[in-house]
Amino acid sequence: MHVKETDRNTILKHDSFHPQALRNGLTYWQMLRVRRITSDPVETVHAMTEMVNKLAERGYPRIELEKTRDRVLAIPRDEALRTTRETSSESPFVPWVTDTEYSIRNEFPDQSECSLSLPYNSVELEEQIKPAFNIKDIMWEKTKKCCTSSPRKFVRYCFELFPVLTWLPQYKIKEYLLGDIVSGIIVGIVTIPQAIAYSLLASQAPIYGLYTNFFCCIIYFFMASSHHNCVGTFGVLCLMVGESVNKHLKAAGFTEYGDEVLNSTLTSNSTVCGRSCYAIMLATSLTFMVGVYQVLMGIFHLGFISVYLSEPLLSGFVTGSSLTIITSQMKYLLGLKIPRSDGAGSLITTWIDIFTNLQDTNICDFIASAVTIAVMVPVKIINDRFKSKMKVPFPVEIFVIIVATLVSHYYDFNRKYKSSICGSIPTGFMSPRAPEWSMIPSIATDAIPIAIIGFAMTVSLAEIFAKKHGYTVSINQEMIAIGMCNVIPSFFYSFASCAALAKTLLKESTGANTQLNGIVSSLLLMIVLLALSHLLYSLQNSILGVITIVSLKGALVKFADTPKMWRISRIDTVVWWVSMLASALISTEIGLLVGVCFSMLCVIFRTQRPRATLLGNVSGTEIYEDQLQYKELNTIPNIKIYRFNGSLYYANKDYFIASLHSKTGVNPSIVLTLQRKAKREEVTPGQTNHRFGSKLNVIKTVCKPRKSLDTTLSAIDVHSLIIDCGAMQFVDSAGLSILKEVRNDYEEIGVWVFLANCNPSVCRLLHNGDFFSVINSSASEHAFHSVHDAVTFAERKFRKKMTTGINNVSIPTPDHNDTDDGQ
């Protein structure tokens, strides 16, 4: 008879069945399974042959063994049934009737055991030998590597610091040049009005916004690893710069509209400095520190800081800051001369001032603002709706600026209606000037949140478009690049800049391929600076305010996305709202801090109280899933499988214990107390006896004769507890103590505790923490690679405990009389 091989590894095993089972088509042939017992396959074959010969001597048909190394040998079912019928008719005997399972080994469970219903594999893995970790040697090698110089290393460093040296020689002129030029012109046209408008937001003269965009585009061209980012003035950063500048202007004694008010305490080279001069000194000093922070973060590879600024947090922060920006621009739209409010609650106080002074609205500014909004908003909507069909979006900003400037100039709005205008804008470039070093200590702390937001926006946009277009960016190089875009321009009357979302989207959608696009935009800005800036003298500030507000449309539409966000993740939605409200109602700096802290608290809360549940088996599989989440799962009798969906550490150890007792329904402390109480009491027949079940605090009082302690112990319907550690990323010392406590408490009341799906770090902690040495058994008997293995082992261990404890292989001689009776 030929035996086919299957894919399960087991020990040589013999299981017999009741004669009734034989009639149902079951035979011992189906339970004869062999696997390699020793490391030598030849010995394995000898052992299998010896067993088959032994069976043949007892009267069973001889089996032809197929020589295999690690395969199970089993009789095909059809052939087994046919052989059984033939054997039954020729020799009327059946195997000895027993429910006990035997192993070829004398000790259990030194080797794996398996049956048809309870397959189980014991796996012990040997860890890789890792080299000794010597921090002194590593630091020495790192230092030696950094300090060692060579021409090749210098060239490599230059290529890393200036990525343009890598991509510019490979520039495809025919494929890229036209798109870069067209996109550069479009972005430059849009940048001009936004640069002037954002200058008011930063409490600076309009010319400084043009300087900022001009210099940062050139520097970013040389140092950026991103091909599509568009750097320049960004509304949120300008708002934060303006808040810091206004705070120090007030401290220095300047008023909101006192451009000519002098402060006798401020002198520079024996020259008295006015408000505008002092404002740009503050802005350049602040920008210099922002750039220094960003460069240092890039040098020391601190790009990981951006991971703590989640997408909901940044989105909520930008939206809240946008509300503050809109509020700050409303006075320009209405032509009101009210002081700028800064600090906590500035949004509310500004609106109070607006409604208080509403009767002083400048009708000319109000009408100009209304007309501009009526023109810009529909054009923006058309550009967004038909952007797939329009090769180039209509530059409504530059159109509005040209028309508004001409109308304001020829109708003399400033003289006739007292309308606020930009005023004189100098032509050309100013001489470079170092930041005011004496101001740096006072503005150093203000630069920190600006630096963080600046690099976070730049890095996130760089990664988004790099992934979209199939290239890679260096986060640390991006931080150095944007840092240098702030350090160097601070010597040329510029303020803080970063990548701007709206301009980056415009740049990418108009066909830009490389940062050569930024050089084209800078050339256009240079033309305006050298020849056209003085023509903007009559441009109304209300028009600039409208341009600023309309450009924030993308941030405001995030409110419409909150229902969808709520359906996806309620925690992220709450983070968004908290960040938005904090940055809008308190201040931008505090709002960012509140958002980061709240986001971290949400993470801590989710790890402190993770989901805990009991698992059930999916029929016919080795899969175990949440019983509360899925239907039609099978509960394993007398075994509780507990899953804790989080790491086990000091903050959630108490919750782990509480949820374990609640889910399993067994509190070892209560059960043990009742057991000891029952043992001490002398219960006589007819007296009241207390019986307790497996549920917490469930005690039934009945009048029955005296019961032994064994009866009390048997009332607990759980013999094994399996803890699924698959979701535990780590376990600290407090968690290890809790696992030891759980094991000791449950085993004291007769419940075995097993661990499953432990990752290598958790297993190493268990070994180092003497988790297995205390129980005087190997790790393979208490920590398993799957829940199914743990379940199988627990069932087999319980069945062995309930049997007579026979461990040796016993092959009975067939009894012909018993066979006749069975038939």
Side-chain angles (χ1 to χ4, degrees):
M1 183 179 300
H2 182 68
V3 182
K4 74 174 183 178
E5 61 177 2
T6 59
D7 287 331
R8 182 173 297 279
N9 297 334
T10 57
I11 299 180
L12 184 61
K13 173 59 62 188
H14 174 271
D15 293 285
S16 302
F17 291 90
H18 194 272
Q20 182 64 34
L22 185 61
R23 297 192 188 96
N24 295 333
L26 298 176
T27 174
Y28 82 100
W29 296 111
Q30 294 173 279
M31 300 304 297
L32 181 62
R33 302 181 179 190
V34 183
R35 88 164 187 185
R36 178 165 56 91
I37 302 174
T38 65
S39 59
D40 187 0
V42 177
E43 291 187 23
T44 303
V45 175
H46 288 329
M48 294 188 294
T49 304
E50 182 181 354
M51 177 55 67
V52 171
N53 292 335
K54 192 174 182 181
L55 288 170
E57 292 175 359
R58 303 290 184 177
Y60 293 94
R62 183 174 296 276
I63 307 173
E64 179 184 353
L65 295 178
E66 181 176 326
K67 295 182 179 180
T68 59
R69 181 181 178 87
D70 284 330
R71 301 295 183 179
V72 177
L73 301 178
I75 294 294
R77 178 179 178 83
D78 296 338
E79 188 173 0
L81 292 175
R82 179 179 58 79
T83 306
T84 302
R85 296 189 187 98
E86 293 175 357
T87 305
S88 323
S89 59
E90 295 176 0
S91 54
F93 62 84
V94 294
W96 174 53
V97 179
T98 179
D99 290 331
T100 306
E101 298 178 352
Y102 305 105
S103 171
I104 198 169
R105 296 290 179 122
N106 292 330
E107 295 182 0
F108 176 87
D110 291 344
Q111 292 289 340
S112 304
E113 292 191 327
C114 183
S115 68
L116 183 64
S117 59
L118 299 174
Y120 166 68
N121 298 324
S122 176
V123 179
E124 294 188 14
L125 301 178
E126 184 177 357
E127 292 189 5
Q128 296 279 0
I129 299 177
K130 298 181 180 180
F133 181 80
N134 192 327
I135 189 171
K136 291 184 179 180
D137 295 341
I138 294 177
M139 292 183 64
W140 170 252
E141 290 296 330
K142 291 284 186 182
T143 305
K144 184 179 178 181
K145 184 178 179 180
C146 293
C147 296
T148 303
S149 61
S150 64
R152 179 177 296 179
K153 185 175 182 180
F154 177 75
V155 171
R156 185 173 68 252
Y157 177 75
C158 290
F159 274 79
E160 292 176 355
L161 187 61
F162 299 100
V164 66
L165 299 175
T166 302
W167 62 262
L168 189 59
Q170 304 173 0
Y171 188 82
K172 301 176 182 179
I173 297 178
K174 294 183 179 180
E175 185 176 349
Y176 294 160
L177 185 59
L178 181 61
D180 285 338
I181 292 176
V182 172
S183 179
I185 294 174
I186 296 172
V187 173
I189 292 173
V190 174
T191 299
I192 293 170
Q194 285 190 359
I196 298 173
Y198 285 160
S199 298
L200 298 180
L201 194 59
S203 298
Q204 304 298 325
I207 190 66
Y208 301 133
L210 297 174
Y211 287 161
T212 300
N213 285 272
F214 172 78
F215 286 107
C216 68
C217 286
I218 296 176
I219 298 168
Y220 199 71
F221 165 79
F222 290 100
M223 305 191 69
S225 61
S226 172
H227 299 169
H228 295 86
N229 263 4
C230 184
V231 296
T233 52
F234 179 54
V236 176
L237 252 63
C238 292
L239 174 66
M240 299 173 75
V241 171
E243 289 178 346
S244 177
V245 169
N246 280 325
K247 178 176 63 177
H248 289 88
L249 283 174
K250 291 180 180 179
F254 289 103
T255 59
E256 178 74 14
Y257 298 97
D259 291 340
E260 303 301 327
V261 175
L262 305 180
N263 191 324
S264 60
T265 63
L266 302 172
T267 60
S268 178
N269 298 326
S270 302
T271 302
V272 178
C273 184
R275 185 184 189 279
S276 178
C277 170
Y278 191 63
I280 191 59
M281 289 168 57
L282 286 168
T284 54
S285 301
L286 180 66
T287 302
F288 177 80
M289 288 306 301
V290 169
V292 169
Y293 289 149
Q294 292 172 337
V295 170
L296 290 177
M297 286 189 290
I299 292 175
F300 291 104
H301 292 196
L302 300 180
F304 66 89
I305 295 177
S306 61
V307 302
Y308 297 104
L309 302 177
S310 63
E311 193 277 332
L313 188 153
L314 278 178
S315 177
F317 172 78
V318 171
T319 303
S321 300
S322 299
L323 295 178
T324 305
I325 293 172
I326 293 173
T327 301
S328 67
Q329 298 301 299
M330 287 302 298
K331 65 179 182 180
Y332 297 114
L333 271 66
L334 300 176
L336 299 176
K337 294 185 179 296
I338 56 177
R340 177 169 177 169
S341 299
D342 296 308
S346 60
L347 183 139
I348 297 176
T349 56
T350 300
W351 280 106
I352 292 176
D353 292 339
I354 290 174
F355 284 109
T356 302
N357 297 275
L358 199 60
Q359 68 276 6
D360 299 328
T361 300
N362 188 300
I363 301 300
C364 179
D365 287 336
F366 175 73
I367 294 175
S369 301
V371 172
T372 305
I373 292 175
V375 172
M376 290 190 66
V377 172
V379 174
K380 286 285 187 180
I381 294 175
I382 293 173
N383 286 341
D384 292 340
R385 181 169 297 180
F386 299 101
K387 62 181 178 181
S388 60
K389 299 181 179 179
M390 300 172 61
K391 294 183 178 179
V392 177
F394 182 74
V396 64
E397 291 90 351
I398 197 70
F399 171 78
V400 166
I401 282 184
I402 294 173
V403 173
T405 302
L406 292 175
V407 172
S408 175
H409 174 74
Y410 285 108
Y411 287 94
D412 200 4
F413 286 165
N414 177 249
R415 186 179 61 85
K416 292 182 179 179
Y417 304 106
K418 304 299 179 181
S419 179
S420 176
I421 60 175
C422 290
S424 177
I425 300 178
T427 301
F429 294 93
M430 299 182 183
S431 300
R433 178 179 177 179
E436 194 68 29
W437 307 117
S438 60
M439 295 181 177
I440 289 180
S442 60
I443 54 88
T445 54
D446 294 343
I448 295 176
I450 300 177
I452 294 175
I453 291 299
F455 91 77
M457 294 299 299
T458 302
V459 168
S460 61
L461 288 176
E463 290 180 335
I464 289 173
F465 288 99
K467 183 178 180 180
K468 181 178 180 180
H469 292 275
Y471 62 91
T472 58
V473 294
S474 171
I475 295 179
N476 296 306
Q477 179 59 31
E478 285 296 314
M479 294 173 67
I480 294 175
I482 196 62
M484 296 305 295
C485 288
N486 287 316
V487 171
I488 297 176
S490 66
F491 291 83
F492 297 92
Y493 301 93
S494 302
F495 48 86
S497 62
C498 71
L501 175 60
K503 288 189 290 185
T504 301
L505 289 172
L506 177 63
K507 178 178 179 178
E508 189 260 349
S509 63
T510 52
N513 298 289
T514 65
Q515 285 299 334
L516 187 63
N517 166 282
I519 297 297
V520 177
S521 299
S522 295
L523 291 175
L524 193 61
L525 288 169
M526 185 175 65
I527 294 173
V528 174
L529 286 169
L530 295 178
L532 303 177
S533 59
H534 66 283
L535 299 178
L536 301 175
Y537 176 88
S538 299
L539 179 62
Q540 292 172 275
N541 288 333
S542 59
I543 305 299
L544 298 177
V546 171
I547 292 174
T548 301
I549 291 175
V550 173
S551 66
L552 301 174
K553 178 178 67 70
L556 297 179
V557 297
K558 292 293 183 181
F559 284 102
D561 296 337
T562 52
K564 180 180 179 181
M565 191 187 307
W566 179 262
R567 291 192 298 269
I568 296 173
S569 174
R570 297 184 178 183
I571 296 295
D572 287 345
T573 308
V574 174
V575 170
W576 188 91
W577 277 100
V578 169
S579 180
M580 186 275 296
L581 292 175
S583 58
L585 299 179
I586 305 176
S587 67
T588 52
E589 295 87 352
I590 298 177
L592 177 63
L593 180 62
V594 169
V596 172
C597 293
F598 183 79
S599 180
M600 290 184 176
L601 286 176
C602 288
V603 174
I604 294 173
F605 177 78
R606 295 169 83 170
T607 59
Q608 189 173 353
R609 298 184 66 86
R611 182 178 176 84
T613 184
L614 293 181
L615 305 184
N617 177 252
V618 180
S619 301
T621 69
E622 298 181 1
I623 300 173
Y624 295 81
E625 285 297 342
D626 188 349
Q627 292 182 350
L628 297 179
Q629 191 73 24
Y630 301 101
K631 300 178 180 178
E632 299 180 358
L633 296 180
N634 299 327
T635 302
I636 308 300
N638 307 117
I639 296 179
K640 298 294 184 180
I641 308 173
Y642 173 76
R643 175 184 288 172
F644 191 70
N645 290 329
S647 299
L648 182 58
Y649 66 112
Y650 67 94
N652 61 14
K653 59 183 181 66
D654 294 333
Y655 175 74
F656 175 83
I657 289 291
S659 61
L660 177 63
H661 294 168
S662 175
K663 296 294 182 180
T664 60
V666 178
N667 188 330
S669 300
I670 297 177
V671 173
L672 187 61
T673 301
L674 294 175
Q675 287 179 349
R676 291 173 178 172
K677 183 179 179 181
K679 189 174 182 179
R680 289 195 305 266
E681 290 181 350
E682 293 293 334
V683 182
T684 59
Q687 287 185 327
T688 301
N689 180 33
H690 299 280
R691 295 184 60 204
F692 52 90
S694 61
K695 299 296 180 182
L696 288 174
N697 302 325
V698 177
I699 303 176
K700 296 181 179 180
T701 304
V702 295
C703 247
K704 288 188 177 181
R706 176 176 178 176
K707 293 186 178 293
S708 64
L709 183 59
D710 293 337
T711 304
T712 306
L713 294 175
S714 64
I716 302 176
D717 60 350
V718 179
H719 63 70
S720 297
L721 169 64
I722 299 173
I723 301 176
D724 183 5
C725 305
M728 293 184 184
Q729 183 180 2
F730 68 90
V731 177
D732 66 355
S733 57
L736 177 62
S737 300
I738 286 298
L739 289 177
K740 289 181 178 179
E741 179 183 335
V742 168
R743 180 201 61 207
N744 296 333
D745 290 348
Y746 275 90
E747 291 189 351
E748 193 171 358
I749 62 172
V751 178
W752 297 308
V753 177
F754 305 105
L755 306 180
N757 291 327
C758 298
N759 63 48
S761 63
V762 174
C763 289
R764 192 177 303 111
L765 177 74
L766 296 175
H767 281 285
N768 296 338
D770 298 329
F771 181 84
F772 303 111
S773 61
V774 176
I775 53 183
N776 298 321
S777 59
S778 64
S780 61
E781 298 178 21
H782 288 82
F784 300 86
H785 291 275
S786 69
V787 174
H788 186 71
D789 284 344
V791 171
T792 301
F793 184 88
E795 288 185 334
R796 298 185 68 82
K797 188 172 183 179
F798 179 71
R799 291 177 62 179
K800 182 183 184 309
K801 179 181 177 182
M802 303 303 294
T803 61
T804 58
I806 302 177
N807 295 321
N808 296 327
V809 174
S810 176
I811 303 178
T813 303
D815 190 340
H816 297 269
N817 295 329
D818 290 343
T819 305
D820 295 336
D821 295 339
Q823 293 175 347

